[in-house]
Amino acid sequence: VFASLSVWGWGGLGVVLFLITFGPFAIFYLAFYICCVVGGGFAVTLLFGKTNSERHLEKCEHSYLPATQTGILKTLDEMRLEQKPIKIDRRLTGSNYIDEPLQQVIQFALRDYIQYWYYTLSEDESFLLEIRQTVQNALVQFSTRSKEVDWQPYFTTRLVDDFATHLRVFRKAQDRLERRDDNKQRDLSEEMVESFFEAEVEMERNVCRDVVCTSLKDEEGFLRDLCEVLLYLLLPPGDFHNKNMRYFLREILARGVLLPLVNQLSDPDYINQFVIWMIRDSSCNYEAFMNILKLTDKVSELEAVKDKALEELQYLRSLDTAGDDINVIKNQINSLLFVKKVCETRIQRLQSGKEVDTLKLAANFGKLCIIPLEHILVHNIALQFFMDYMQAAGAQAELFFWLTVEGYRVTAQQQLEVMEGWQKDGKKGGSTKGLLKAAALGVYEQYLSDKASPRVQVDEVSVVKLREKLQKEGDPTPEIFDDIQRKVYDMMLRDERYYPSFRQSPLYIRMLAELDMLKEPSYRGSDDGDGDWQYLWFLLVVSLHCLQSLDDLSNSCHDDNIQLHAFISDTGVCNDHGKTYALYAITVCRRNHDGSEDSWKTYRRYSDFHDFHMRITEQFENLTSILKLPGKKTFNNMDRDFLEKRKKDLNAYLQLLLNPEMVKACPTLVPYVYDFLENKQYSKGKGDFARKMDTFVNPLRSSMRNVSNAVKRLPDSLAEGMNTAADNMGRMSEKLGQDIKQSMFKVPPLLPKSDVDPEHCRVSAQLDDNVDDNIPLRVMLLLMDEVFDLKERNQWLRRNIKNLLQQLIRATYGDTINRKIVDHVDFMTAPEQVADYVKKFRDSYWPNGILAESPPRRDKNIRMRTRVAAKTNLLGIMPDELKHIIGADTTRKGILRVFDMFQHGPMNRRLVYVLLEGFLETMFPQYKFPELFVKLHSRSPRTARYTQKLKSTSLKR
């Protein structure tokens, strides 16, 4: 009993102690722990048994299969151990100049577009080697084919035709929008694109590229189809029929190469920057800059220029200057205020909707210039407007008679002189007299006889006397028509219906505009001086396109906290060992990070300035068009007045050099400036002899660089010859007389008639195969017709322009123009040049061997100022000879038309694809690329609508 009590006692005591220690819920915890231990043991037993069972079943299964053959195992082992070597022939084009940079491009492309993701999948390099071999095979095929093609017709005809046709389509779209009445209060950007592609389908008929140029999805599909065709032509059959390989290369070529390239080439801002870069060596044209501000219809452009002027005004007003330097600052401020006023006035006109054509406002400018009739009759441009007026007044017979007589007189004089020379040599010239008499009778019959229609209105007595002279057996003299011609001239001069009324007509105002004699007084000039306008233009240029690259200059690295100011405070004459020279004291002030200022004086000679200028212009070539160092003077160079003038010019030079925009645009220039302004002896980069040789050689080097501009910068003798040809009465009348003789003897005209409307076909369809100077004259006439819209002029003017262009070509190049074109094409496609193109492509996409990042979109104000600078440069490079031939206003309108054409992205894409299609059709003429492009572009709804429209029109007929 005691034993059982002790057991229950001890048990109860343990339970009580357990509950006291662990709480009343301890029993549930204990039960849960026991269940976990039991369940865990059961799970471990089950998993262990399952694993052993699977192993046993696998052993049993293999015991019933036949043994693996020894050959298969050996083959697998050899495949694992075998290293398949792929030999790659690195020859691509047959020229080491091209192959080396091209191999680097292939290597960089594989590294950045394939290797970075392929190595995450596999370490086997055989696939990469196969890709490289395939790409090289395609390049070899492309190179071989390009060598077999004659590129001269493409560059001289097809390329120009594609560009001119694109411009014609744009001009038609522009004319359509101008005829609308409700287009003044809206943004015409989208409507211009719509109208452009409507005009394209009317010209191309079965092709319209609107879908490809406006839809990214359709554009990618077009590029994929095109790339697949190219891969079919360039790849070996085995690689092409490998779908994985073909699709892989197609996507890389379409989306990785062609699409980014098209995006860049069609970006209007990139094109504007490229235009500025192409003509970066042209001198600043301040008049063109002001003309652009007057003519622009974009408020955003004016706002961007005004903001830049305000920013610079704020900076200039914050400067603390004194002495002569303050006059320079005041002049700069006046120039900026003037530009600000011009921009604000123009913006106000545009926003108020009161913008009126300049020609309509011309009558309010004050008294117009008076051009005498005698000058009008001998000037190409003026004569065209007077001819149009006389035709509208029904008096063209009088004008044509006067011109015909001038031509007859000059022709007769020349022919008689030639005949006299023949007679002295014992030759016969009887046929010449007969031709002259026939020509005189032709003039009489056409203008003065009773059968003439219309007939020149002169007194009958004079006509009868002339008829009697012609009926005599004697030969007609060159002066036979002078009496009647004088009376016709007096009638045109004094009759209120003709010249007096012409001076009051809109055609007279348009004539003054073409002669560039119609300017508002407020824009004729300013009291600010040329130096200030140079400063103003510098501000615009340096804030747009860099002196280093085409990227945004606001990202340039420089220290904005350090400001440097310098000006020439004094000038003295020194005598050192018998040598006399001028010394300029330059006061330099530097503001540091902490706000403190340091100032010192340094002394420099003119030769130091000259050496410094040569050093920085050699390092930064684009500075030559902005920084102009005052020239040297051999005699009286120590004169006090001369030294003061040079001091002022050198001060202006320093202010341009230290301008914040210059520092921002060209930060690597700062160390050179600091070194020059340091208070120490200036160490010249070159010796005296080297500097003197550079002074002599640099102008020659600049002249050789400008040889390509020989046509627009003619020598004085040739320019005088051109002006004489354009303005001299005798030479012009001689050409007119030749034209009259051609019309009398039924010589075919310059442009033959065609059943097709020339405005609804390609430009090349209207080329004349009988032109003497076939290639250059075709190209020049074709471009001039479309750029300057010369087809609107009368045929006489077009023929005169043609004659002047012929004279220009022959005077400049002689009879070797075709050979020069061939030589230039050969030079462009030479291995060295092609290698240079590949290197530029490599350095552009992989600078220093690293893939370039996509540049961020530039600020709107910078893009707008770039537009202004591009238009100004385009207008500034137009030679005066061209304005003399076709007119100043027509020249401006033509240049601005070309510029406006490039400001629409979809239209630029269309031009890129047209040029690409022409290139491929020339590259592979044996394949049916034209039919292929028709099929690819026939998906456009516009093509279907236009085809349906043609069918409905034909049914109605």
Side-chain angles (χ1 to χ4, degrees), residues 561-576:
N561 297 322
I562 298 181
Q563 297 181 3
L564 192 68
H565 304 287
F567 62 94
I568 299 177
S569 55
D570 197 8
T571 307
V573 178
C574 299
N575 193 315
D576 185 15

Side-chain angles (χ1 to χ4, degrees), residues 8 146 219 243 254 256 314 353 403 409 414 416 545 605 643 723-724 761 769 785 791 832 881 896 902:
W8 285 101
S146 64
E219 184 179 16
K243 290 186 177 181
Q314 185 178 3
L403 295 171
R409 181 192 298 111
Q414 290 184 348
L416 291 176
H545 58 94
R605 298 175 55 179
L643 292 178
N723 291 333
T724 303
C761 63
D769 294 332
D785 274 347
K791 286 186 174 63
E832 294 80 3
E881 288 76 18
L896 294 180
F902 286 114

Side-chain angles (χ1 to χ4, degrees), residues 328-604:
V328 177
I329 300 297
K330 285 183 178 180
N331 289 336
Q332 294 173 356
I333 290 176
N334 290 336
S335 299
L336 292 169
L337 288 174
F338 177 71
V339 170
K340 174 176 170 290
K341 180 181 178 181
V342 171
C343 293
E344 290 175 346
T345 304
R346 183 67 177 163
I347 291 172
Q348 186 178 3
R349 276 188 188 177
L350 293 174
Q351 291 180 341
S352 63
K354 297 180 180 179
E355 178 61 18
V356 186
D357 190 357
T358 306
L359 299 178
K360 297 179 181 179
L361 295 174
N364 298 325
F365 288 172
K367 187 177 180 180
L368 297 176
C369 297
I370 298 177
I371 309 296
L373 178 60
E374 57 181 334
H375 293 168
I376 291 177
L377 293 175
V378 298
H379 194 283
N380 288 335
I381 300 171
L383 179 58
Q384 178 226 341
F385 288 98
F386 187 60
M387 188 180 295
D388 292 341
Y389 176 80
M390 294 294 282
Q391 287 178 339
Q396 66 270 25
E398 284 75 9
L399 177 60
F400 290 162
F401 171 77
W402 190 93
L403 295 171
T404 303
V405 170
E406 285 294 315
Y408 170 80
R409 181 192 298 111
V410 175
T411 303
Q413 288 175 350
Q414 290 184 348
Q415 294 300 324
L416 291 176
E417 290 176 1
V418 172
M419 188 179 65
E420 290 177 1
W422 286 349
Q423 290 176 351
K424 290 180 180 179
D425 297 336
K427 299 180 181 179
K428 296 182 179 181
S431 60
T432 301
K433 293 182 178 180
L435 288 175
L436 289 178
K437 189 167 186 177
L441 289 173
V443 173
Y444 172 79
E445 293 292 337
Q446 186 174 0
Y447 294 105
L448 300 172
S449 68
D450 296 335
K451 299 178 182 180
S453 177
R455 187 171 184 266
V456 176
Q457 300 301 318
V458 292
D459 60 282
E460 288 296 329
V461 177
S462 300
V463 176
V464 171
K465 289 182 179 180
L466 175 63
R467 184 168 61 244
E468 291 176 353
K469 291 181 181 178
L470 291 174
Q471 290 175 351
K472 291 181 179 180
E473 295 182 359
D475 299 325
T477 62
E479 298 82 12
I480 191 170
F481 294 102
D482 283 3
D483 182 50
I484 298 180
Q485 185 192 31
R486 191 179 306 109
K487 293 180 179 181
V488 171
Y489 177 83
D490 292 338
M491 180 178 61
M492 291 190 298
L493 178 64
R494 294 180 173 84
D495 195 321
E496 289 294 332
R497 296 173 299 170
Y498 305 139
Y499 175 69
S501 296
F502 172 65
R503 283 177 47 194
Q504 306 299 324
S505 68
L507 284 173
Y508 186 78
I509 300 175
R510 288 181 56 192
M511 180 192 73
L512 294 179
E514 291 289 3
L515 298 175
D516 209 16
M517 301 176 69
L518 194 65
K519 297 182 180 180
E520 297 179 64
S522 59
Y523 293 114
R524 289 183 184 273
S526 175
D527 297 333
D528 300 330
D530 293 339
D532 304 315
W533 290 110
Q534 180 180 2
Y535 166 77
L536 180 61
W537 174 246
F538 159 74
L539 288 179
L540 179 67
V541 172
V542 83
S543 64
L544 301 172
H545 58 94
C546 73
L547 307 171
Q548 298 172 280
S549 67
L550 292 176
D551 297 329
D552 189 354
L553 299 180
S554 60
N555 297 327
S556 299
C557 298
H558 64 281
D559 197 343
D560 292 329
N561 297 322
I562 298 181
Q563 297 181 3
L564 192 68
H565 304 287
F567 62 94
I568 299 177
S569 55
D570 197 8
T571 307
V573 178
C574 299
N575 193 315
D576 185 15
H577 297 90
K579 293 183 179 181
T580 304
Y581 55 87
L583 200 63
Y584 300 92
I586 306 176
T587 302
V588 185
C589 299
R590 181 175 61 190
R591 184 174 300 171
N592 300 317
H593 300 275
D594 54 1
S596 61
E597 292 186 358
D598 297 330
S599 62
W600 64 88
K601 279 192 176 183
T602 187
Y603 298 90
R604 295 288 181 259

